[in-house]
Amino acid sequence: MIRRAAPLLSVFALLLVVWYVAAVWLNLDLARTLADDDATPRQIWLATLAQDRPLLPAPHQIIVEMWTSIFDHPVTSAKSLVLHAAVTAYAAALGLAIALVLGIVLAVGIVHVRTLDRSLMLWIIASQTVPILAIAPMVVVVLGNAGLTGVLPKALIAGYLSFFPIATGMVKGLRSPDPMQRDLMRTYSASGVQVFARLRWPASMAFLFPALKVAATLALVGAIVAELPTGAQAGLGARLLSGSYYGQTLQIWAALFMASLLALLAVALVDLLQLGLVRQRGGRL
Amino acid sequence: MAVDLVMAPAAASARAAASIVVEAADLAIAFESGGQRTTALEGVSLAINRGSFVSLIGPSGCGKTTLLRAIADLEQPTSGRLTVNGMSPERARLERAYGYVFQAPALYPWRSVERNVMLPLEIMGMAAAERRQRAARYLDLVGLGEFRRRFPWQLSGGMQQRVSIARALSFEPALLLMDEPFGALDEITRDGLNLHLHQLWRSTGMTAVFVTHSIPEAVYLSTRIVVMSPRPGKVVEVIDVDLAAERDLDIRESPAFLRVAHRVREALRAGHSYD
Amino acid sequence: MSAGVALLLLAIFGPLGLALLSRGEGWAARVATPLLFGAMVLAAWQIVCVGFGVPSILLPAPSQIVVAFGTHLSTLGVDFVQTVLRAVLPGWAIGSAAGLLAALLLDRSAFLRRGVLPLGSLVSAMPVVGIAPIMVMWFGFDWQSKAAVVVVMTFFPMLVNALAGLESTGAMERDLMRSYGARDWQTMLKLRLPNALPFVFTALKLNSTLALIGGIVAEFFGTPIVGMGFRISTEVARMNLDVVWAEIVMAALVGSLSFAALALIERAVTFWHPSFRE
């Protein structure tokens, strides 16, 4: 435990030091211009770490900002970071759920129906090389024109992004049983459904979970970016954008940290689900 | 009685020291993992003469590979003394005194067969023309001259292992260390390679240390067989192979051959290898 | 009415054609099937848009997008230069090179590696595009801030992959180098770097997509009046969807072509890797 924690903590400490040095260095000009004429160098140094709109906020400023925006406002207030995080997380989760269902259904189809495999697989693979996120603003606006607003357009974008890793992962996973394992099922003259339920599906889990982690992160990115074009009122993307407009660096950093926390939480949740399955399977996926 | 199993190291060095290539005295090697100490080798004393072909045989876990790796300076002895050519294993390694052949060919897939054989020569700083010449010579020697432009993965397993032997020979070491080089091959391929290796050893006159768990292979190839037993790894017996120097594959059906094989099996049994 | 009939015919004969074509063996059938599918999607799209009079502020027909691509070619060119050549390409190159260099340095210290590696995977899980507004604040509205976003986005995937590649060398191969008394730099040059190449290419390919996403999305946070992301966000607001689609087509082309180019180079350089052997 200590062997593992020591390097991590050292690197973390080093990062903090670098961050503080960088904050002082980057904010020095700002602190100088804002300081009183008779300010001592020491006062100016300290001021670099206490600016309202610093070029680079010090870590403790971000933590304080996060603390106040989480705990000092009611959850329903527009100033509450919890509200914004929840709005984004809701869209991402909804999108992920859509992607999970569609991705698995399509993967099952591709594995079992040759026509689907031949028609779709190339496009699914090719789409991973394309910056799909670029269509996010258009989807939001077009759906808005068609009368669809609120969480659904965001969820659709989040789902669209996370759909591809799930579909490709599941196709790989459902195809992962080796010929010997499949031949075994043949010797039992097992039906297609039996082969699926007893071989392909269990085997695909080792591929589903890694895909799910990637997909969860992408869903979050999708939801955040989907909040940019419409000038959404709530959500982490909206916080980033308004912070960017008004030069509220602390707000940007707090939103960014919150987004990272959400991503970590999502990955941890998938890990937890995976752990449950791993336990059931005697320690291996 | 085995001349090269020496219980008293002082006596060993008194004897013709120049003819001894590898000498171990009361060698012990232990591994530490997760707070648990496993003794891989204990009290191993042994001398290997110049020009001999010595096999280390024993069941899994008897430390035969560990002993070979210690000679190659790939493992560090916990106690005891070990010299190679009268030097520490590390000096011997840095002076490129031995060639090592692993259980798998360990060829680099991005290099052609020829460039694989030239790899140690590049590292040792040999001129390009000489490198090419050496590679050609030793690939011819293992019978793969015409495959030099191919890539390892385009060759069969047996051919790959022959390339790796050519690679070990290419810098002409006085000592060839082999760790179950044919263990992963089918028996027919293995027979062919045994014949090949025997002729190679006869023609070069080098010293060879060979780890195996096949009794016929050990008897066929060796001038001496060191039988080892597990938990902890120890030398049970050293058996001289008094067969003709020139051997073909048919010798394995001769009574003399079977007698030696029987002695090896008895020694293994005495070392509780079949328990 | 005739559009309905056309759509019906497409819905009946299209899948039939796909089913027949997908029975074929050989590469011709393998290529033709997805192409036919793509053509069917385009045809259906065209029929729906034209036949049912879908307003182009909702969905322009493929033909309109092609026309827009032609008429706005100069705009597209300017945007391409701004986003791809000025921001994405240098950012991708710098970020990937820095990641590789960092991996080579970290390789020297097991302690640092154990500390940085979890951090690297942590960052990989984060929505890194979110740093775009900060980079705009630091480096201004022009391409520099976009390149900076791309550098940050591409750095960690390369670091993590390259480190994994350097670690992936087999014990036997390393023992072999040791038995030759090879120096560290010799082992690096002759064994570990070539062995890590497939990992490096994986990162380069992944990064090419990430870089394009970073470059475009970063422009949503403000740019001078040029660039693919800028064009997409402003023309969406002005309901010129055909221009937006033209930009998206260009982004898709740039993305898939650069990926394909990298894949070709990879094939030439790491021909020996099991995934390419014939």
Side-chain angles (χ1 to χ4, degrees), chain A residues 173-193:
Chain A
L174 291 172
R175 286 197 173 138
S176 65
D178 62 41
M180 221 186 289
Q181 291 169 318
R182 270 181 288 141
D183 284 347
L184 182 72
M185 290 309 248
R186 266 184 80 88
T187 65
Y188 302 151
S189 61
S191 70
V193 176

Side-chain angles (χ1 to χ4, degrees), chain B residues 136-151:
Chain B
R137 185 187 318 153
Y138 285 98
L139 277 174
D140 280 340
L141 199 64
V142 297
L144 291 174
E146 58 191 299
F147 294 96
R148 66 180 198 284
R149 296 245 181 275
R150 299 283 192 88
F151 283 85

